[in-house]
Amino acid sequence: MNSEVFKNLITKRRPKYAKSRIPVIEAFANKGKSKSEYSQFGPIYELYIYAFVIGLKKKIQLPLPKGNMTKDFLEIGKWKGGSSLVDFLLMTIFTHCEEIGFKWNELEDMEEPELNKVVDDIITFIESYANGGLEYLQQEYNDNKLLNSPYLFVDLLAENSEFIEEDDSINLEIEEADEDIVSSTLSLIKAGESPNTEFKSTLRVNLHTNKPDDKMELSCIKTIAGFMNTKNGTLLIGVADNKEILGLNTDFESFGNKPDLLDEFQKHLDNLVEKYIGNSAYSLIRISFPELEGKMICRIDVDFRKSGAIYVKNKSKNTEEFYIRRAASTTALNPSEMINYIDNHWS
């Protein structure tokens, strides 16, 4: 039995929720209403996943009531056609396999009754933590402790999440480009691109059109995320694929007649990391600006993220994407590949 078959067994199931949670669901889930007392999280399935994560983070696991005190929910696989949120839910579940009570290496040899028992346990795991999260929301709602804002749910999750534990700073760390950095940078360029080293000619300017291009920016961000999800690496901006040192002047000129073009470059890079990855990435990145052959380049040293995966927000597609490093390139993984990779890389 492979991971895709296992995933399909789970997504065919319909989790339950307690009927007593209907008031809080009505308050926070967008069911086509034009107005609400609170900023709404979206469709019910989004609120359900959110409540599950809150329950998990706060360690509030509440069993559902028995009998006719519950309602069946929609099949997991039909939650917005199997969206990236469903993949996130499954990824979270699979990283808690020991708590649920199964081991990956045992699944292949399980008979159908045993396998069905594992799936039952997973659904119970989802239901109990979602019920705990809804209980927390209900209590905060009853006590009037929730501040209504467009970031209500983001703020609540941040307060209760381990995902941001690395975010001790609010800006990228800039290092002085001493002789050691200059020397090691020259060595990296001489060795060429590799799983640990990537060259980019510019941060934002498309050299074919000589204009800023979101695709160029996203390409740099994908590389940074790929290192965070794979192993430590270095991105050099201002160096061509053929090892030619181009420098940052093309990017600098794109900022116009600003008094401090290096500062503009730094701020723009800082904003890109926040926009596409989030503030939790800052503590994993160190920036320096060594001068080589009379030209300044940008060196970005990236650490592997030990506490879990990093995702890139693709605004144009309204999705989150997962990247890793393979050979001398950055590669996106599809959902089933991502689940297997995360389980093997962080288990």
Side-chain angles (χ1 to χ4, degrees):
M1 184 209 66
N2 59 38
S3 61
E4 193 64 27
V5 173
F6 186 49
K7 173 184 172 182
N8 288 337
L9 289 175
I10 298 169
T11 56
K12 289 178 182 178
R13 299 294 296 272
R14 301 178 65 179
K16 299 177 183 292
Y17 64 93
K19 290 181 180 178
S20 61
R21 305 302 177 195
I22 292 176
V24 73
I25 290 173
E26 292 284 348
F28 292 106
N30 186 339
K31 299 173 66 178
K33 301 175 185 176
S34 58
K35 294 182 180 180
S36 174
E37 179 185 357
Y38 282 89
S39 295
Q40 295 175 311
F41 193 65
I44 293 179
Y45 78 89
E46 291 185 3
L47 176 63
Y48 193 84
I49 293 175
Y50 171 79
F52 165 75
V53 174
I54 286 290
L56 193 64
K57 291 302 170 184
K58 293 191 72 67
K59 296 181 172 59
I60 306 174
Q61 189 174 21
L62 295 179
L64 289 176
K66 303 295 184 181
N68 63 358
M69 301 301 292
T70 63
K71 293 189 66 173
D72 283 346
F73 200 39
L74 187 69
E75 292 95 329
I76 294 174
K78 293 183 179 178
W79 295 358
K80 203 175 181 179
S83 71
S84 56
L85 268 177
V86 173
D87 293 328
F88 171 77
L89 173 67
L90 294 174
M91 178 269 292
T92 304
I93 293 166
F94 295 157
T95 56
H96 288 78
C97 56
E98 289 186 6
E99 181 180 346
I100 297 169
F102 72 92
K103 295 180 180 179
W104 284 100
N105 59 359
E106 296 174 349
L107 292 175
E108 186 173 353
D109 298 323
M110 282 187 181
E111 299 293 333
E112 186 175 347
E114 294 178 292
L115 194 56
N116 288 335
K117 174 62 167 56
V118 170
V119 175
D120 287 342
D121 291 342
I122 287 173
I123 299 304
T124 299
F125 179 80
I126 297 171
E127 292 170 336
S128 59
Y129 276 116
N131 193 35
L134 288 170
E135 167 67 19
Y136 171 76
L137 281 175
Q138 182 73 61
Q139 191 61 53
E140 294 291 290
Y141 176 72
N142 291 344
D143 294 343
N144 199 28
K145 292 181 179 179
L146 298 175
L147 297 176
N148 187 23
S149 82
Y151 307 105
L152 168 66
F153 293 95
V154 175
D155 292 341
L156 272 177
L157 187 57
E159 290 171 8
N160 297 285
S161 176
E162 297 172 0
F163 296 153
I164 61 168
E165 60 187 2
E166 296 162 336
D167 186 22
D168 296 322
S169 61
I170 59 172
N171 296 106
L172 297 174
E173 179 182 345
I174 308 298
E175 291 186 343
E176 181 182 353
D178 57 22
E179 291 184 7
D180 289 339
I181 287 181
V182 170
S183 175
S184 63
T185 303
L186 286 170
S187 297
L188 288 174
I189 295 173
K190 183 177 179 180
E193 292 184 306
S194 72
N196 303 87
T197 309
E198 177 82 4
F199 302 157
K200 296 292 183 186
S201 297
T202 65
L203 171 66
R204 68 192 300 244
V205 175
N206 185 324
L207 294 181
H208 296 290
T209 63
N210 205 34
K211 294 180 180 179
D213 189 333
D214 290 347
K215 293 179 181 178
M216 303 297 107
E217 297 174 342
L218 186 55
S219 179
C220 289
I221 293 296
K222 289 176 180 178
T223 298
I224 292 171
F227 287 136
M228 290 180 181
N229 287 329
T230 311
K231 55 186 173 181
N232 298 354
T234 301
L235 169 62
L236 300 179
I237 301 175
V239 179
D241 291 344
N242 64 1
K243 306 181 185 180
E244 180 184 359
I245 298 171
L246 303 176
L248 300 177
N249 280 345
T250 301
D251 277 325
F252 285 168
E253 291 170 0
S254 70
F255 295 111
N257 298 320
K258 299 292 178 67
D260 189 339
L261 295 176
L262 177 57
D263 183 60
E264 292 298 321
F265 182 98
Q266 291 177 17
K267 288 190 294 186
H268 190 70
L269 178 57
D270 188 286
N271 291 335
L272 288 176
V273 172
E274 180 181 10
K275 173 184 175 182
Y276 285 106
I277 302 178
N279 294 343
S280 62
Y282 287 156
S283 62
L284 302 172
I285 299 174
R286 299 174 306 284
I287 312 293
S288 56
F289 293 92
E291 287 197 19
L292 312 174
E293 299 178 359
K295 299 175 184 178
M296 178 182 290
I297 70 165
C298 177
R299 171 172 172 162
I300 305 176
D301 290 297
V302 184
D303 292 337
F304 167 64
R305 191 171 190 260
K306 296 179 182 178
S307 62
I310 281 285
Y311 302 89
V312 174
K313 303 166 191 172
N314 190 322
K315 301 289 186 179
S316 63
K317 298 180 181 178
N318 195 29
T319 60
E320 289 187 322
E321 298 170 346
F322 182 79
Y323 293 92
I324 64 168
R325 291 289 294 176
R326 278 184 182 159
S329 64
T330 303
T331 303
L333 299 188
N334 64 40
S336 59
E337 291 174 328
M338 177 187 71
I339 290 169
N340 284 333
Y341 182 89
I342 288 173
D343 181 64
N344 291 327
H345 219 59
W346 281 280
S347 60

